[in-house]
Amino acid sequence: LHGPKSKLPLLKKIGASAETSSKSTSASHVIDKGEKQESSVISLKLRNLHDLKKPALEAVDSALWKVKESNAKVYSDSEYRVIILSPLLTKEKDNSFKAILLAQDIERILNQYNRRSQQKINFGIGANTGDLVVESKDGKFKFISMGNTITLSKKLSQISNSEVLISENLHRKTSTKVKVDRTQQEGVWKLKKVIDHTPHSEFINRFVQKQKTNFKQHSPH
């Protein structure tokens, strides 16, 4: 099924943005001997980041803690938190499903916080998979984006409304493991359900229980 023509401008903007991004990094001299690897990228956009108070920031940190535990790298870029999962970091060839699981973890934690707190975190999550040139040297991980790998994940997080939006590439690689809904944008899918997220259930349950305890402690008697 094909959507209305109104979808096209967004896709053109994504392509143009990606082209600019790749041009700006193609001449980079930061990486000496990089290796091209298919990697997965999650973008978390925090629209009201500068207005968030300590409890909200702690909720964001809790969400990103699970990401770091999975050997992914998290980079701050203004209102974005860009999460990189490449084989060089995770020691896993395919990180597409792991990216879905982590993106869902972040979504659940932040929405759980929003349901119980007066100050809401205005966020969006986008996930994509594509090629990066990566290198690990002197204990530092470096990367250069190829094509729209990172740009598209950021674009998806821009249009996301407290949900996980995934690209066509990521959807194709994980279609047997997740359920998604079509969106009004061509090639953009909304994550509906992960068929098997058992490895992450314990972490989510612990976080939810902690939030309930904190809520009771701060509630007026």
Side-chain angles (χ1 to χ4, degrees), residues 6 14 36 38 59 61 63 69 85 88 110 115 118 136 140 157 159 176 198 208:
S6 59
I14 290 175
K36 185 172 78 170
E38 183 174 4
D61 286 342
E69 193 183 55
L85 296 103
L88 186 62
L110 298 187
R115 282 193 292 270
Q118 187 173 359
S136 182
K140 294 182 179 181
S157 68
I159 62 175
T176 61
T198 305
V208 170

Side-chain angles (χ1 to χ4, degrees), residues 112-166:
Q112 176 71 27
Y113 172 84
N114 282 345
R115 282 193 292 270
R116 297 183 174 276
S117 304
Q118 187 173 359
Q119 185 186 42
K120 310 302 181 185
I121 302 171
N122 186 349
F123 72 94
I125 301 172
N128 183 33
T129 187
D131 289 331
L132 299 177
V133 176
V134 298
E135 178 186 68
S136 182
K137 185 177 181 181
D138 300 327
K140 294 182 179 181
F141 175 76
K142 301 175 182 179
F143 67 91
I144 294 177
S145 179
M146 299 185 67
N148 66 352
T149 302
I150 292 177
T151 310
L152 180 52
S153 67
K154 281 186 170 184
K155 197 71 179 179
L156 293 173
S157 68
Q158 283 180 18
I159 62 175
S160 164
N161 182 23
S162 303
E163 62 200 356
V164 177
L165 297 181
I166 66 176

Side-chain angles (χ1 to χ4, degrees), residues 25-207:
T25 57
S26 61
S28 173
H29 58 274
V30 176
I31 291 181
D32 294 328
K33 297 179 180 179
E35 176 185 356
K36 185 172 78 170
Q37 292 187 340
E38 183 174 4
S39 306
S40 295
V41 178
I42 305 167
S43 173
L44 169 63
K45 183 174 176 64
L46 302 165
R47 299 184 180 92
N48 59 338
L49 174 62
H50 300 297
D51 298 324
L52 296 180
K53 294 181 171 60
K54 185 176 179 181
L57 293 173
E58 288 177 347
V60 173
D61 286 342
S62 294
L64 295 178
W65 174 78
K66 183 64 180 180
V67 170
K68 295 174 183 176
E69 193 183 55
S70 299
N71 296 321
K73 290 290 186 181
V74 181
Y75 297 90
S76 297
D77 181 8
S78 187
E79 295 181 332
Y80 295 94
R81 296 297 178 266
V82 179
I83 300 157
I84 307 293
L85 296 103
S86 74
L88 186 62
L89 292 169
T90 65
K91 311 306 178 187
E92 297 178 26
K93 184 177 180 181
D94 187 351
N95 289 281
S96 53
F97 186 52
K98 176 177 279 191
I100 293 283
L101 291 173
L102 291 175
Q104 185 187 58
D105 283 352
I106 295 170
E107 175 199 20
R108 286 185 172 182
I109 290 171
L110 298 187
N111 279 328
Q112 176 71 27
Y113 172 84
N114 282 345
R115 282 193 292 270
R116 297 183 174 276
S117 304
Q118 187 173 359
Q119 185 186 42
K120 310 302 181 185
I121 302 171
N122 186 349
F123 72 94
I125 301 172
N128 183 33
T129 187
D131 289 331
L132 299 177
V133 176
V134 298
E135 178 186 68
S136 182
K137 185 177 181 181
D138 300 327
K140 294 182 179 181
F141 175 76
K142 301 175 182 179
F143 67 91
I144 294 177
S145 179
M146 299 185 67
N148 66 352
T149 302
I150 292 177
T151 310
L152 180 52
S153 67
K154 281 186 170 184
K155 197 71 179 179
L156 293 173
S157 68
Q158 283 180 18
I159 62 175
S160 164
N161 182 23
S162 303
E163 62 200 356
V164 177
L165 297 181
I166 66 176
S167 67
E168 182 67 32
N169 283 346
L170 188 55
H171 171 53
R172 282 201 301 266
K173 291 181 69 67
T174 58
S175 60
T176 61
K177 298 180 180 180
V178 303
K179 292 183 179 180
V180 296
D181 285 337
R182 290 181 180 273
T183 70
Q184 302 226 337
Q185 299 292 345
E186 185 79 31
V188 179
W189 303 83
K190 177 184 175 181
L191 179 64
K192 184 177 180 182
K193 182 180 179 182
V194 173
I195 297 173
D196 181 15
H197 49 74
T198 305
H200 296 276
S201 297
E202 183 181 351
F203 167 76
I204 292 297
N205 291 337
R206 284 202 314 267
F207 178 83

